[in-house]
């Protein structure tokens, strides 16, 4: 699961059920959540239940799914329940929540009168706005934001032409503690590093979620301007994700609250509004890929690169940034932008720089430096993995080996462990079970849904970082026992 | 320190990397069969159900693709994507059509996901054109399913080539990776393809050979061939599902429930099928059609060299396919004679064996003088 789905699912999971009920009123939202947030088996289960007239018997589910896939099944059901997609009618059956069912059906059938997939503009689009233009535009906007974050580290960027992001975006970055004001200058925080090392799609979500939280805070203070509400904002994001890239949409049909969101989205580079005509907006690639899976994302960066090539007329570079990592800790990165080089310099020792290529070493000192700045080894590894060169993917696929050399990965982790030997997890300790069988059953269930962070079978204790599903499980288990 | 034993972070891709899957639907558009079905399930309703099913498949992920073919009485026709032949260059696979900025038709509704709307219009217009072009002369009772299967297979092959890790041409200096590639592509497919046939008519025995060729090609390429039948008994497709590991379901008892059949039984792709119990067939009709008269036969003659099937002994006992002269052995002789003879011998031996053995042993034992 990519980091971006993680942050989004964390945000979604803490929402109350009523919020979900309202979110699922929009077919585009139900559709986007179905597509983005669910594991494969869960999607299959939802689809099977979608047109089922009666509640689905749990015993039937047991029969349908092979015993070997129990773990996946429990995981799928746990996710579906935490997203309020299914509900348990009786202890022995479950069904889709009514709003979700209705909306997903509408999304698939294409009926209804909800306008949740965007109203296309009837006015002719200006001829100069094509996909390449939008890609260039989105890329520039986004790079401005990244430059702003990176520059706070002190690596100066050579591109002085852009005047940085808008003040509102800067405030948001400050408010989200991605950067901090320290004695006149700006400095990056750990969250900021996390942000930098994510892939573009995850970065967009991080920023959007920051914005949501900021809006929530404003609402709580009663200082809400124009009634921006997080539920509505969230469903508007999902709407944007379902729009068609390179097409003009009508702004007049949007409700007032959403119209007020447009300027900020323009600042992020998610949409483009032609200067002469405020009745149209164009979603950019950043917006339309919000709910895409990872393979498409690779094509997104390729699309960006293509737009870039249009600029410099340099067709030899295909990938925006492609890193080759060797087992001898050497790293070769095909990068163009100073931004990417600055990011690489955060955790490696760069030795040579050529046109379009930098090479360097991962050393103990460089990793230690990064860790001291607050970057974790996992962030470095996921950055390397998500930017791996096509050749790395190909070799990994043909030899059935992991993408990055395991020796390097382990060493990066070890270097980090040199500095920190404790790992704090928030959660709940389960102990003092009535008998061992009860412990084993509950603990195994928790393990199946993937929330156990530590267990000790001898002492009959385990530690879980989430508790809701376990509570339910214990309750049904208790009931079942009483029934006997 | 257990965190760094590193065994857990190597399989982290299982969820993130969802393999794209390509669903190819072959719709049997035999006018006679649909007319027979009209009172329970008109073709318009069936198409609507299929569209929902297609959308559900596409909803699984952006990479999922779909291709729809019509198997008509006299030809196989592309419904979606548009046929590659008339407009040559602009042929693209499913999603690329709108990603690469081919002029989208204006005026799609705001209540529909754009890609869904596009597929719907394409299928409906092509189908209408197909129906309009059908004349009374085309009204065969059977459907040319094999042609559609072959087109579907070639489309799948083409698409899976596009999904191979690209750019082998960019490094001609490194042919080893290209070689490694081809070997890897069979081990871990980067595209799950499957074919679903919506059948409404009986199998045409005349098409036994082309159909089976397509089926074995699919089986070799590990493409499951699913079949749902609303009417009639497609013997060969039933065998096809068995051979390729696909699903065969008959909805003839309740054609109105087509969508439920589709959503429950056929939506899972190869990834999901690994963890699901698939519907099984209790009995498969394994009858083959003979190569000489294209009749479906229960018992027949098989050439021992090329395995061709014949309903009767060919002229001069010469195989029509490979020309081998076949010896028929004792064909036509009464089969009861041989065992009786043997039995008699045996009985005779048993009867006479007591004395014979006794004498043998008596003569063999040397008598002391």
């Amino acid at each position: 699961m990519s980091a971006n789905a993680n942050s989004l699912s964390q945000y979604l999971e803490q929402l109350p059920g009523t919020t979900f009920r309202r979110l699922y009123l929009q077919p585009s939202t139900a559709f986007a959540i179905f597509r983005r947030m669910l594991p494969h088996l869960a999607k299959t289960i939802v689809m099977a239940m979608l047109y089922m007239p009666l509640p689905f018997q749990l015993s039937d589910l047991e029969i349908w799914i092979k015993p070997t896939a129990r773990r996946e099944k429990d995981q799928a059901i746990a996710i579906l329940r935490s997203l309020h997609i299914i509900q348990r009618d009786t202890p022995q059956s479950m069904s889709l929540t009514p709003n979700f069912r209705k909306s997903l059906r509408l999304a698939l059938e294409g009926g209804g009168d909800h306008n949740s997939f965007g109203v296309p503009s009837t006015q002719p689009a200006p001829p100069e706005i094509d996909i390449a233009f939008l890609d260039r535009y989105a890329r520039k906007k986004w790079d401005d934001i990244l430059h702003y974050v990176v520059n706070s580290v002190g690596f100066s960027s050579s591109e002085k032409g852009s005047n940085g992001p808008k003040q509102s975006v800067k405030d948001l970055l400050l408010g989200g503690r991605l950067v901090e004001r320290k004695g006149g200058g700006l400095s990056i925080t750990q969250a900021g590093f996390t942000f930098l090392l994510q892939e573009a799609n995850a970065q967009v979500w991080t920023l959007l979620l920051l914005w949501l939280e900021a809006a929530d805070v404003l609402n709580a203070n009663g200082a809400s301007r124009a009634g921006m509400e997080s539920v509505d904002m969230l469903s508007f994001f999902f709407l944007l994700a379902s729009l068609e890239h390179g097409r003009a949409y009508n702004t007049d049909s949007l409700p007032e609250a959403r119209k007020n969101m447009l300027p900020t989205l323009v600042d992020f580079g998610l949409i483009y509004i032609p200067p002469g005509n405020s009745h149209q907006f164009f979603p950019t690639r950043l917006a339309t890929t919000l709910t895409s899976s990872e393979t498409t994302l690779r094509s997104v960066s390729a699309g960006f690169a293509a737009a870039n090539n249009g600029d410099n007329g340099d067709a030899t570079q295909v990938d925006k940034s492609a890193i080759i990592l060797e087992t001898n800790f050497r790293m070769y990165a095909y990068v163009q932008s100073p931004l990417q080089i600055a990011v690489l310099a955060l955790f490696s020792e760069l030795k040579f720089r050529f046109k379009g290529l930098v090479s360097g070493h991962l050393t103990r000192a460089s990793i230690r430096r990064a860790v001291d700045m607050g970057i974790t080894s996992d962030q470095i590894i996921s950055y390397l993995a998500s930017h791996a060169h096509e050749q790395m993917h190909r070799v990994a696929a043909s030899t059935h080996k992991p993408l990055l050399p395991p020796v390097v990965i382990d060493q990066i982790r070890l270097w980090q462990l040199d500095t920190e030997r404790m790992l704090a997890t928030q959660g709940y300790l389960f102990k003092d079970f009535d008998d061992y069988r009860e412990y084993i059953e509950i603990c195994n269930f928790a393990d199946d849904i993937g929330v156990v962070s530590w267990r000790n079978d001898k002492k009959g204790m385990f530690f879980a970082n989430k508790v809701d599903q376990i509570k339910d499980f214990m309750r049904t288990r208790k009931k079942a026992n009483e029934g006997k | 320190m257990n965190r760094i034993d590193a065994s857990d972070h190597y399989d982290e891709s299982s969820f993130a990397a969802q393999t794209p899957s390509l669903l190819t639907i072959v719709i049997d558009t035999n006018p006679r069969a649909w007319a027979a079905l009209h009172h329970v399930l008109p073709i318009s309703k069936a198409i609507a159900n299929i569209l929902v099913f297609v959308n559900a498949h596409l909803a699984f992920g952006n990479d999922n693709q779909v291709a729809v073919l019509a198997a008509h009485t006299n030809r196989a026709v592309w419904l979606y994507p548009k046929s590659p032949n008339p407009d040559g260059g602009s042929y693209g696979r499913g999603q690329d059509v709108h990603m690469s900025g081919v002029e989208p038709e204006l005026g799609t509704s705001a209540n529909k996901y754009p890609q869904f709307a596009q597929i719907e219009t394409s299928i409906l217009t092509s189908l209408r054109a197909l129906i309009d072009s059908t004349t009374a002369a085309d009204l065969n009772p059977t459907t040319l399913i094999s042609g559609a299967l072959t087109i579907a297979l070639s489309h799948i092959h083409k698409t899976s080539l596009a999904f191979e890790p690209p750019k082998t041409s960019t490094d001609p200096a490194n042919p080893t990776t290209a070689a490694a590639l081809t070997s890897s592509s069979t081990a871990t497919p980067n595209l799950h393809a499957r074919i679903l046939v919506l059948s409404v008519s009986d199998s045409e025995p005349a098409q036994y050979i082309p159909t089976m060729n397509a089926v074995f090609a699919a089986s070799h390429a590990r493409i499951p061939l699913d079949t749902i039948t609303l009417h009639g008994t497609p013997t060969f497709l039933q065998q096809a599902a068995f051979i390729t590991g696909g699903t065969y379901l008959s909805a003839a008892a309740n054609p109105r429930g087509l969508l439920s059949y589709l959503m429950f039984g056929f939506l899972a792709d190869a990834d999901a099928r690994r963890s699901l119990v698939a519907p099984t067939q209790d009995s498969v009709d394994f009858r083959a059609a003979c190569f000489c008269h294209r009749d479906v036969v229960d018992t027949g003659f098989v050439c021992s060299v090329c395995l061709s099937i014949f309903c009767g002994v060919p002229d001069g006992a010469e195989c029509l396919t490979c020309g081998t002269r076949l010896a028929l052995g004792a064909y036509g002789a009464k089969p009861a004679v041989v065992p009786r003879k043997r039995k008699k011998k045996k009985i005779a031996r048993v009867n006479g064996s007591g004395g014979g053995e006794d004498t043998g042993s008596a003569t063999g034992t040397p008598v002391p003088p």
Side-chain angles (χ1 to χ4, degrees), chain A residues 76-345:
Chain A
I77 298 291
I79 290 176
L80 287 176
R81 297 200 59 190
S82 72
L83 291 175
H84 295 261
I85 290 175
I86 55 172
Q87 60 190 15
R88 216 165 252 195
D89 302 330
T90 64
Q92 287 319 310
S93 68
M94 61 182 187
S95 62
L96 296 177
T97 48
N99 286 348
F100 185 83
R101 170 195 293 251
K102 193 162 157 256
S103 294
L104 192 57
R105 278 188 182 185
L106 273 180
L108 292 187
E109 291 161 10
D113 187 24
H114 43 76
N115 281 348
S116 80
F117 287 107
V119 181
S121 174
T122 46
Q123 297 170 350
E128 74 275 10
I129 301 176
D130 55 359
I131 288 190
F133 172 84
L134 288 175
D135 279 347
R136 273 201 302 277
Y137 167 81
R139 188 188 161 77
K140 184 176 168 308
K141 281 274 183 193
W142 199 251
D143 274 359
D144 278 354
I145 295 175
L146 294 185
H147 273 296
Y148 178 73
V149 176
V150 172
N151 281 350
S152 57
V153 191
F155 297 109
S156 72
S157 145
S158 61
E159 272 179 48
K160 291 289 176 205
S162 58
N163 39 14
K166 289 268 177 61
Q167 191 56 41
S168 59
V169 181
K170 286 183 188 166
D171 288 344
L172 202 59
L173 293 171
L174 272 171
R177 307 195 63 74
L178 295 181
V179 288
E180 275 177 335
R181 239 179 248 292
K182 253 187 205 162
L186 285 167
S187 77
I188 193 166
T189 62
Q190 188 190 347
F193 281 120
T194 320
F195 177 73
L196 277 186
L197 295 181
Q198 282 165 337
E199 42 188 337
N201 182 279
Q203 288 171 343
V204 178
W205 269 115
T206 311
L207 208 57
L208 290 179
L209 291 178
L210 279 179
W211 186 28
L212 275 184
E213 276 157 22
D216 273 345
V217 171
L218 276 180
N219 281 348
N221 295 344
S224 157
R225 45 185 173 125
M228 279 212 236
E229 202 194 347
S230 58
V231 179
D232 191 48
M233 287 167 78
L234 199 54
S235 62
F236 188 48
F237 297 157
F238 287 126
L239 188 156
L240 284 178
S242 68
L243 298 182
E244 203 174 330
H245 187 211
R247 189 151 181 201
Y249 286 88
N250 194 341
T251 53
D252 296 330
S253 61
L254 296 174
E256 197 58 33
R258 290 187 176 180
K259 259 188 221 169
N260 290 331
M261 287 167 69
L262 293 180
T264 316
L265 290 172
V266 169
D267 294 342
F268 289 164
L270 260 67
I271 59 171
Y272 173 76
I273 297 182
N277 185 355
S278 62
H279 298 289
Q280 284 185 330
F281 72 92
F282 292 83
T284 67
R285 210 177 276 274
L286 289 176
T288 52
T289 53
L290 274 177
T291 57
S292 303
S293 54
E294 243 158 86
T295 12
T296 343
L297 291 179
R298 228 180 283 157
S299 71
V300 171
S301 56
F304 271 170
N308 212 20
N309 289 341
D311 276 349
N312 350 346
D314 177 11
T316 51
Q317 280 301 314
V318 181
D319 257 323
K320 183 168 94 172
S321 117
I323 300 173
I324 294 180
L325 183 64
E326 293 184 339
T327 47
N328 55 8
F329 295 87
R330 278 199 194 140
M331 185 181 75
Y332 305 92
Y334 294 92
V335 288
Q336 294 258 320
S337 86
L339 173 70
Q340 297 290 338
I341 297 174
V343 171
L344 287 175

Side-chain angles (χ1 to χ4, degrees), chain A residues 396-418:
Chain A
S398 62
T399 53
H400 298 284
K401 285 202 176 119
L403 178 63
L404 301 172
V407 56
V408 181
I409 294 181
D410 291 345
Q411 193 58 62
I412 292 176
R413 283 173 207 261
L414 282 171
W415 279 330
Q416 185 191 8
L417 282 173
D418 280 351

Side-chain angles (χ1 to χ4, degrees), chain B residues 310-336:
Chain B
F310 303 102
C311 57
V313 184
D315 290 340
E318 193 168 289
C319 173
L320 297 180
T321 311
C322 61
T324 314
R325 275 198 66 83
L326 303 167
L328 279 172
Y331 175 69
K334 288 203 170 157

